Amino acid sequence: MSENKITTQEEDRLSQEGLSLTSKFKANHKRCLDNMEGMSKKEKVKYFLYFYRGYIVTGIILLFLIIAIPIHIYNRTRPVAISYAVLNQASFYTTSKDSINEYMDYFDYGSSYKAEEYSGIQLLPQEDEPTTETVDSIAIAYQNETSAGYIQFPLLCRDGYIDFVLMDSQALECLNGSDLFTSLESTLSSDIYRQLLAKYPELKIISIQDADGNTIECAIDVSDTDFVKGFDISYSEVYLAFPKTKDPENIKPKQIIEFIYGIKSTN
């Protein structure tokens, strides 16, 4: 590639002043062809890619935006079939969605619905000098900011964003004395709760204190269920609890119990 075949950028700029975009593109293309004269096929390909690198990069970015933006808008606007949080998941574990996908198939949610996972939430017992942000005496840290990173966990629960929570014993200890959960009997109805205890008398129910100091049965040990195994959680003892909801019928908690244990309301 000889130097006299390649004009400088300054010469190109001066020669193209006043030209339309179409005329500039034609002039540049002619210059590209002139510069490739005498090159081998391999050299022509390399020079062509180099010469049009700006157009190529711009085209790739535009193509990505054309594809990504509609997909993002579609995913953001789809109605939520179920929302949940897995607390204290180890940072190197990716929560599987197998059980959630099976849940959505079971209740015939179509592809227009989505499941919302609030990930990376850590609830750990308070230390004498806590290093994480404290909200209502609950120490909360976030592994990432892709979902719940800008909203505190208590607010997510109180505002009805989370339908159910899976957690370990440390998280359950942190929630003792909080007002985030209601009793299983009030959430599921007395009818469903009685059926659950009658069908599974060995079921381990966990009680904690609410904000008023009352003892409430609010969590179920679901460690050995196929439902929990489908999440690939990093710890072995897993507890299920339901935050307060704005839905007076508590449809989602009842669906979860039906999906896991096969308990339906007889009303």
Side-chain angles (χ1 to χ4, degrees), residues 36-54:
M36 289 192 299
E37 186 179 343
M39 294 182 184
S40 67
K41 186 175 182 179
K42 183 177 180 180
E43 287 175 333
K44 287 181 179 180
V45 171
K46 290 176 64 176
Y47 182 75
F48 181 87
L49 294 176
Y50 172 79
F51 189 89
Y52 285 107
R53 64 191 182 282

Side-chain angles (χ1 to χ4, degrees), residues 182-201 203-208 215-221 240 242 253-254 257-258 261 263-267:
T182 55
S183 70
L184 292 168
E185 184 172 7
S186 62
T187 300
L188 303 175
S189 79
S190 298
D191 169 50
I192 293 177
Y193 192 51
R194 282 196 303 268
Q195 288 187 67
L196 181 65
L197 295 180
K199 186 174 181 180
Y200 299 95
L203 204 62
K204 185 179 179 182
I205 306 295
I206 310 299
S207 298
I208 65 171
T215 300
I216 59 170
E217 297 179 334
C218 75
I220 305 173
D221 186 342
L240 166 71
F242 301 105
K254 291 174 182 177
I257 292 300
E258 178 182 339
Y261 296 108
I263 304 296
K264 298 182 180 181
S265 175
T266 58
N267 294 337

